[in-house]
């Protein structure tokens, strides 16, 4: 069988890092391609990296066709669920996949609702008879999405903000683990040039930018003032800090610690769930 590659499906799941790809290549070279590739008719769905490695080194492989797929959305949903079940993906990846699933499921539910409405209009019920209420759309609340991704609703909200307002540079920083989801969502409040500058400064500069935004929020100032420095790069507040300023800074620091603890708790809960189901 001639296997076809669909560029949309190949790029749908976040690609492996160079180190991850090399580790997979070593594994396939040493042990062969243990898991079968999954096909939709003759189109590759799962196993793009293994297929590429096997082709490059002449390693035999098995392929199985999943006959339950009806359309491209079915394939995408299967890919999402398959990857959400893996332990190696990051929290950010989990959130992105769950949000993608939400969009597909929501679009399908709206389509079904429209079809049902058209059928109801074509066959009008007798006067006085109540029309059936449409079924609730699944996976539309943030809690449902968080449950699918095994994350907190707050983390899902932060990932949504990153997707909407973060620059590509900041997105790459959170994907690579240079900055946490919580801090990245905070830095995403800044103008694009400030985000890019913070990413260019590395991990410490990103953490500093996130801290400054939180402090300004606590003080009741808009995030855009986080980069309101003088031309010489030094801050000038034209007054000595008051007791209220100190309390605000302490409050911001505590909020930051609480956010970090929440992320740790979520990660531990997910790990406990994985161990219980293994």
């Amino acid at each position: 069988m001639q296997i076809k590659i669909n560029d949309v499906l190949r790029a749908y799941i976040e690609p492996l890092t160079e180190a991850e790809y090399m580790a997979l290549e070593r594994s396939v070279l040493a042990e062969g391609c243990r898991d079968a590739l999954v096909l939709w008719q003759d189109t590759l769905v799962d196993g793009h990296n293994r297929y590429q490695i096997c082709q490059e080194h002449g390693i035999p492989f098995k392929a199985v066709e999943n006959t339950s797929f009806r359309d491209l959305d079915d394939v995408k949903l299967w890919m999402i669920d398959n990857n959400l079940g893996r332990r190696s993906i990051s929290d950010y990846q989990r959130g992105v996949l769950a949000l993608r699933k939400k969009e597909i499921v929501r679009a399908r539910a709206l389509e079904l609702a429209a079809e049902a409405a058209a059928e109801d209009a074509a066959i009008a019920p007798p006067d006085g008879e109540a029309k059936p209420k449409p079924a609730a759309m699944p996976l539309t609340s943030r809690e449902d999405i968080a449950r699918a991704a095994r994350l907190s609703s707050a983390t899902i909200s932060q990932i949504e903000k990153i997707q909407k307002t973060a620059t590509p540079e900041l997105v790459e920083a959170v994907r690579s683990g240079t900055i946490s989801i919580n801090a990245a969502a905070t830095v995403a409040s800044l103008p694009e040039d400030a985000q890019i500058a913070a990413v260019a400064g590395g991990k410490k500069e990103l953490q500093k930018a996130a801290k400054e935004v939180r402090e300004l929020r606590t003080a009741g100032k808009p995030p855009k003032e986080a980069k309101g420095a003088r031309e010489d790069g030094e801050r000038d507040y034209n007054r000595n800090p008051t007791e209220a300023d100190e309390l605000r800074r302490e409050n911001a620091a505590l909020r930051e610690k609480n956010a970090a603890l929440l992320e740790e708790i979520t990660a531990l809960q997910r790990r406990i769930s994985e161990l219980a189901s293994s």
Side-chain angles (χ1 to χ4, degrees), residues 11-134:
Y12 195 64
I13 302 298
E14 186 174 338
L16 298 179
T17 64
E18 184 178 354
E20 289 170 338
Y21 184 88
M22 291 176 64
L24 176 62
E25 186 175 35
R26 288 193 298 270
S27 173
V28 173
L29 288 173
E31 304 175 18
C33 188
R34 294 179 299 175
D35 299 322
L37 310 182
V38 178
L39 304 178
W40 172 35
Q41 298 175 357
D42 56 355
T43 300
L44 185 58
V45 172
D46 182 61
H48 289 86
N49 294 298
R50 284 176 283 133
Y51 178 66
Q52 180 177 335
I53 293 168
C54 289
Q55 290 291 93
E56 289 177 354
H57 298 281
I59 298 173
F61 59 86
K62 295 180 180 179
V64 294
E65 181 185 356
N66 189 324
T67 57
S68 67
F69 299 142
R70 295 168 298 175
D71 52 30
L72 189 61
D73 279 346
D74 269 355
V75 176
K76 289 179 178 178
L77 287 171
W78 183 90
M79 293 174 72
I80 290 170
D81 287 339
N82 187 47
N83 279 273
L84 283 175
R86 293 175 175 170
R87 300 181 181 182
S88 56
I89 65 173
S90 68
D91 286 351
Y92 181 74
Q93 290 172 307
R94 288 182 184 280
V96 170
L97 289 174
L99 288 169
R100 286 180 181 174
K101 182 174 183 177
K102 167 202 168 185
E103 292 304 318
I104 295 174
V105 173
R106 184 175 184 276
R108 281 190 168 182
L110 290 173
E111 185 179 347
L112 290 174
E115 291 176 359
E119 290 177 2
D120 289 343
I123 307 174
D127 292 340
E129 183 177 329
K131 293 183 180 180
K133 294 182 179 180

Side-chain angles (χ1 to χ4, degrees), residues 84-219:
L84 283 175
R86 293 175 175 170
R87 300 181 181 182
S88 56
I89 65 173
S90 68
D91 286 351
Y92 181 74
Q93 290 172 307
R94 288 182 184 280
V96 170
L97 289 174
L99 288 169
R100 286 180 181 174
K101 182 174 183 177
K102 167 202 168 185
E103 292 304 318
I104 295 174
V105 173
R106 184 175 184 276
R108 281 190 168 182
L110 290 173
E111 185 179 347
L112 290 174
E115 291 176 359
E119 290 177 2
D120 289 343
I123 307 174
D127 292 340
E129 183 177 329
K131 293 183 180 180
K133 294 182 179 180
M137 290 186 295
L139 206 71
T140 54
S141 72
R142 186 168 286 119
E143 289 74 19
D144 291 336
I145 301 165
R147 195 175 300 111
R150 288 182 288 172
L151 300 172
S152 68
S153 352
T155 300
I156 291 295
S157 177
Q158 291 164 351
I159 292 173
E160 283 184 297
K161 181 175 181 180
I162 291 168
Q163 288 189 304
K164 291 177 182 177
T165 62
T167 62
E169 293 83 359
L170 182 56
V171 170
E172 182 57 34
V174 70
R175 284 175 58 186
S176 65
T178 304
I179 185 174
S180 69
I181 294 172
N182 179 40
T186 304
V187 175
S189 303
L190 295 171
E192 290 188 1
D193 56 345
Q195 293 184 39
I196 294 171
V199 173
K203 186 173 183 176
K204 288 185 178 180
E205 186 61 29
L206 282 166
Q207 292 173 339
K208 178 182 177 183
K211 182 179 179 181
E212 289 175 349
V213 172
R214 292 184 186 117
E215 288 177 348
L216 288 170
R217 281 178 179 170
T218 304

